[in-house]
Amino acid sequence: DIQMTQSPPTLSASVGDRVTITCRASQSISSWLAWYQQKPGKAPKLLIYKASSLKSGVPSRFSGSGSGTEFTLTISSLQPDDFATYYCQQYDSYSPTFGQGTKVEIK
Amino acid sequence: QVQLVESGGGVVQPGGSLRLSCAASGFTFSSYGMHWVRQAPGKGLEWVAFIRYDGTNKYYADSVKGRFTISRDNSQNTLYLQVNSLRPEDTAVYYCAKDNILRGNYPNAFDIWGQGTMVTVSS
């Protein structure tokens, strides 16, 4: 299986901060990467697919970049609704895998 | 609106079985692959299984292969997961999720998720 490693595991930030989360794949996955946001007790929500395509309805402060083995999710100006856990997911293989998650906390 | 509603979870003894269901509405169910994804308490997300839009191709995580079976009834807009030989480590919230590619042959991103159904394996 392709292993996905996210960093950092936890991130403390303030409203208005620019936040960047990194996801690394154990082998090249081209651009077959998605990002999800999950709040406690809720199902995940798709934010970004194909590394940089923003899902319809997702605020433009979210952006994704990268290809191959290194990817980033950036929140340009953190809002109160953005405090959550974020997961990357590869779908280059028949067996999709997730990163372990990055929790964005209030500083 | 687009909606997925899971049911069928519960408490079961090790070695037991359950059948999870996922009722879909608001989209052409028969045109999209579907997934099951699980999340153990306090842990991250784990993809479990995928079924192609027409039911012809199925893929499973190694951790459930041979014990879990994914299926679908396109006439009833319903996805299923038969879970057998349950182990304590299968304890999790099980989510169904819609694939984001129309008539895709392989797993892609998951653009719609249900609210989840809890499966607890305990004696």
Side-chain angles (χ1 to χ4, degrees):
Chain A
D1 282 1
I2 299 173
Q3 307 302 315
M4 305 301 294
T5 304
Q6 282 182 239
S7 60
T10 306
L11 188 160
S12 296
S14 302
V15 172
D17 284 353
R18 181 181 181 87
V19 165
T20 298
I21 298 169
T22 298
C23 180
R24 289 187 174 87
S26 60
Q27 65 188 67
S28 177
I29 58 170
S30 184
S31 296
W32 304 119
L33 186 101
W35 289 97
Y36 300 87
Q37 178 194 67
Q38 186 180 33
K39 295 181 179 179
K42 301 293 187 182
K45 293 183 179 179
L46 177 65
L47 301 173
I48 303 277
Y49 61 97
K50 211 172 177 185
S52 60
S53 296
L54 192 68
K55 183 188 175 187
S56 176
V58 173
S60 59
R61 63 180 179 273
F62 291 95
S63 64
S65 64
S67 66
T69 61
E70 187 149 342
F71 302 85
T72 58
L73 173 70
T74 300
I75 309 173
S76 60
S77 177
L78 198 65
Q79 298 302 301
D81 191 48
D82 301 339
F83 291 97
T85 299
Y86 294 84
Y87 294 93
C88 62
Q89 173 236 332
Q90 68 78 20
Y91 49 103
D92 182 67
S93 71
Y94 297 157
S95 182
T97 48
F98 290 90
Q100 77 278 20
T102 294
K103 186 175 183 180
V104 177
E105 297 180 327
I106 300 173
K107 191 172 184 179
Chain B
Q1 75 280 20
V2 178
Q3 193 173 10
L4 298 170
V5 179
E6 301 93 336
S7 61
V11 180
V12 61
Q13 292 187 338
S17 299
L18 283 174
R19 190 195 200 197
L20 309 183
S21 299
C22 170
S25 59
F27 66 100
T28 305
F29 180 73
S30 59
S31 294
Y32 290 90
M34 295 293 296
H35 302 264
W36 288 98
V37 179
R38 68 184 180 182
Q39 187 169 37
K43 302 297 184 183
L45 300 167
E46 180 187 16
W47 172 81
V48 171
F50 165 81
I51 184 167
R52 207 174 93 145
Y53 60 94
D54 58 1
T56 55
N57 281 4
K58 305 175 185 181
Y59 302 106
Y60 297 93
D62 287 344
S63 59
V64 307
K65 207 170 291 183
R67 300 188 298 123
F68 290 12
T69 301
I70 190 172
S71 61
R72 64 190 299 158
D73 183 341
N74 285 346
S75 68
Q76 297 293 319
N77 290 345
T78 303
L79 175 73
Y80 301 101
L81 186 69
Q82 179 68 40
V83 296
N84 297 332
S85 304
L86 282 163
R87 306 165 179 168
E89 57 265 34
D90 296 318
T91 294
V93 174
Y94 284 74
Y95 296 101
C96 66
K98 171 184 165 291
D99 197 88
N100 76 324
I101 297 298
L102 179 68
R103 297 194 190 91
N105 292 320
Y106 310 111
N108 291 281
F110 318 137
D111 62 352
I112 303 294
W113 297 63
Q115 85 289 350
T117 188
M118 182 72 201
V119 172
T120 302
V121 184
S122 173
S123 54

